[in-house]
Amino acid sequence: MPQVTEQQILDALRVVQDPDLHRDIVSLGFVKDIKICGGAVAFTIELTTPACPVKDLLREQAYAAVSAVPGVEQLKIEMTAQVRGEQRTGPLIPGVKHVIAVASGKGGVGKSTVSCNLAVALKLAGAKVGLLDADIYGPTIPIMMGAGEEQPLYDGQKMYPVMRHGIGIMSIGFFLEEGKAVVWRGPMIGKALTQFLGDVAWGDLDYLIVDLPPGTGDASMSLAQLIPLTGVVIVMTPQEVAQQIANKSIAMFQMLEQTLNRPIPILGIVENMSGFINPATGEEIPVFGKGGGRRAAAQLNVPFLGSVPIDPVISESGDAGCPAILIDPHSAQAEAFRAIAGQVAARVSTLAHQGVK
Ligand SMILES: Nc1ncnc2c1ncn2[C@@H]1O[C@H](COP(=O)(O)OP(=O)(O)O)[C@@H](O)[C@H]1O
Ligand SMILES: [Mg+2]
């Protein structure tokens, strides 16, 4: 039997392409720790996100490629991930690699629901995730994450995020008296956000998800001003009018981009409440129409990240403080949220790779 060499393994792996980065995994530096012992070969493929949607495909392709090398009798491939983008978010939150804002033109479209499930999906994939509720007018994250009764700890210097479902959470909701409304003016919003970023011990995070208030307001502006955003996820419902509203939110971020002279990439559009699947027949009833999100994405030339069906489980689980994705991992909605998280993570990886911020 010929002795297998490291070079042969690397050469074989050059046929495996990362479909998002359009390069082979060897030149991307993903292949690590090659160990050869006679006919037994082991190595690690280190991806740029644990939520990589093509993880299994890459593993299969690598397996096939290396199995075909003469002399390879046994093969073990370990898949790991290291999110790239270190220290890009600036001095306010030095341990956070990527800030992903979730926005919508209007309230009630499921922005907070998407934020929670996106955060949990990324966490379940193995990423370190934080969730900031920047919806100062209607903070719902504490309740949706089952932390409504909690108070963040304060050690005299820093506030500590409340941990739920493996995710560090911060929200103005933790500090409000129940039933009391708060009147916020622009500068106050900026100040509150500055504190929620700089005075909170977020620690090392791959992704900080920020649930923005609806509309085109001060919070979005303050956030984008305070820290470089890796990108924005726009949530909309499928109706025709929703398209115009999505259009407006995207236009606002484009304007902000120009004002701040800093890229604010739109990661894409999520269509929420896109049809109700009749549990008896499996037939889909398009309650609010269908395909609006995809059409809006095409029209605005931004990626379409996926759609989430209407399901009473989603609102019940939100009210109960346990995001739908955790209730039944095999449900259509869990599948949808995982797919969306994969798309978001892949887009973030691509942007980090291109050096776009
Ligand atoms: N796909 C869905 N199916 C069923 N109910 C949903 C869905 N998405 C959101 N909801 C419910 O709709 C309401 C509004 O969602 P929420 O996430 O609070 O919206 P927003 O943050 O945009 O105001 C909540 O009661 C939520 O549980
Ligand atoms: Mg909300």
Side-chain angles (χ1 to χ4, degrees):
M1 258 308 170
Q3 172 64 39
V4 183
T5 66
E6 188 166 320
Q7 199 53 49
Q8 281 176 297
I9 305 296
L10 288 173
D11 286 343
L13 285 171
R14 275 182 221 283
V15 299
V16 183
Q17 289 264 330
D18 182 306
D20 295 311
L21 306 180
H22 306 292
R23 264 172 68 188
D24 72 274
I25 60 170
V26 178
S27 68
L28 283 166
F30 288 2
V31 181
K32 307 242 153 112
D33 299 332
I34 301 181
K35 293 191 187 84
I36 303 166
C37 183
V41 174
F43 58 89
T44 300
I45 298 179
E46 187 186 82
L47 302 172
T48 53
T49 172
C52 177
V54 290
K55 188 158 130 184
D56 293 339
L57 181 75
L58 291 177
R59 184 212 293 267
E60 278 164 31
Q61 290 182 349
Y63 202 94
V66 176
S67 298
V69 174
V72 174
E73 288 160 2
Q74 258 182 52
L75 180 54
K76 188 166 164 255
I77 305 177
E78 193 180 343
M79 303 297 283
T80 61
Q82 172 79 30
V83 175
R84 316 278 165 94
E86 287 77 4
Q87 311 287 315
R88 281 157 178 256
T89 43
L92 214 47
I93 39 172
V96 179
K97 289 180 186 168
H98 295 286
V99 179
I100 300 168
V102 181
S104 71
K106 67 184 186 95
V109 299
K111 189 168 40 59
S112 303
T113 302
V114 169
S115 300
C116 291
N117 283 283
L118 173 62
V120 175
L122 291 169
K123 163 74 201 166
L124 289 176
K128 285 180 267 189
V129 187
L131 179 56
L132 170 60
D133 186 356
D135 193 344
I136 39 206
Y137 306 104
T140 56
I141 296 290
I143 289 178
M144 285 181 163
M145 292 294 281
E149 307 291 309
E150 295 289 325
Q151 283 271 304
L153 290 173
Y154 180 64
D155 69 2
Q157 283 188 321
K158 291 261 181 194
M159 263 185 307
Y160 289 81
V162 171
M163 290 303 291
R164 269 296 182 282
H165 310 302
I167 292 165
I169 307 162
M170 190 49 71
S171 168
I172 191 77
F174 292 132
F175 307 97
L176 298 180
E177 267 181 68
E178 216 172 302
K180 268 208 177 151
V182 181
V183 184
W184 292 89
R185 291 177 223 288
M188 285 166 70
I189 296 173
K191 227 170 136 189
L193 273 179
T194 310
Q195 289 188 336
F196 278 150
L197 293 165
D199 295 350
V200 172
W202 286 107
D204 290 332
L205 295 180
D206 295 319
Y207 309 105
L208 175 63
I209 311 294
V210 183
D211 184 18
L212 284 171
T216 51
D218 290 315
S220 311
M221 198 133 49
S222 296
L223 182 73
Q225 231 158 16
L226 287 168
I227 42 168
L229 301 176
T230 296
V232 183
V233 172
I234 305 279
V235 181
M236 62 178 278
T237 47
Q239 299 96 322
E240 286 291 328
V241 284
Q243 273 185 60
Q244 293 161 21
I245 299 168
N247 223 327
K248 265 196 203 157
S249 341
I250 291 178
M252 182 214 48
F253 284 106
Q254 286 168 342
M255 224 170 68
L256 260 180
E257 198 167 46
Q258 289 188 353
T259 316
L260 301 173
N261 193 22
R262 165 199 288 176
I264 308 177
I266 302 295
L267 297 174
I269 290 180
V270 171
E271 181 181 277
N272 186 31
M273 310 197 199
S274 73
F276 172 72
I277 299 165
N278 183 336
T281 62
E283 182 199 0
E284 189 175 352
I285 304 160
V287 182
F288 296 128
K290 183 100 194 106
R294 199 178 277 281
R295 277 197 298 279
Q299 205 179 39
L300 301 166
N301 200 21
V302 298
F304 180 64
L305 299 169
S307 46
V308 182
I310 298 179
D311 195 305
V313 168
I314 296 183
S315 53
E316 286 160 17
S317 59
D319 290 345
C322 186
I325 188 166
L326 290 168
I327 301 271
D328 177 4
H330 304 293
S331 62
Q333 58 266 28
E335 194 66 55
F337 285 125
R338 261 196 308 274
I340 289 165
Q343 290 305 310
V344 169
R347 276 277 286 160
V348 168
S349 287
T350 308
L351 288 169
H353 182 71
Q354 294 166 343
V356 178
K357 279 300 296 178

